[in-house]
Amino acid sequence: MKGAAMDLVLNSVLTCPECGHQAAETMPTNACQFFYECLACHTLLRPKPGDCCVFCSYGSVPCPPVQQQRSCCGG
């Protein structure tokens, strides 16, 4: 069913594993975000092994392709 796109969540709260800072961000729908710099401590976040992007590793919501149970980033 194509109605799943209506349930798509594009906002996610990223939590820095180093300092615990949280930032609400909008996820891209056409690309994976491999890097994110913490706004507080400036740590460069990268996906954990097995995850496709920083939102899947550190976000409150997984990225749009994962929400739609699709392959992410051409993987």
Side-chain angles (χ1 to χ4, degrees), residues 14-35:
L14 287 170
T15 302
C16 178
E18 294 297 316
C19 73
H21 181 264
Q22 294 185 321
E25 299 289 346
T26 301
M27 295 181 280
T29 57
N30 60 351
C32 284
Q33 187 161 340
F34 294 109
F35 302 106

Side-chain angles (χ1 to χ4, degrees), residues 1 4 11 15 18 23 27-29 34 37 42 50 55 58 61 67 72 74-75:
M1 294 189 178
N11 295 312
T15 302
E18 294 297 316
M27 295 181 280
T29 57
F34 294 109
E37 183 178 346
H42 303 287
F55 290 105
Y58 306 106
V61 178
Q67 289 180 51
C72 186

Side-chain angles (χ1 to χ4, degrees), residues 1-56:
M1 294 189 178
K2 297 292 180 185
M6 293 174 29
D7 297 327
L8 198 61
V9 177
L10 297 179
N11 295 312
S12 184
V13 176
L14 287 170
T15 302
C16 178
E18 294 297 316
C19 73
H21 181 264
Q22 294 185 321
E25 299 289 346
T26 301
M27 295 181 280
T29 57
N30 60 351
C32 284
Q33 187 161 340
F34 294 109
F35 302 106
Y36 178 82
E37 183 178 346
C38 176
L39 300 174
C41 72
H42 303 287
T43 296
L44 186 62
L45 305 183
R46 295 179 177 95
K48 293 178 184 176
D51 285 344
C52 62
C53 65
V54 293
F55 290 105
C56 287

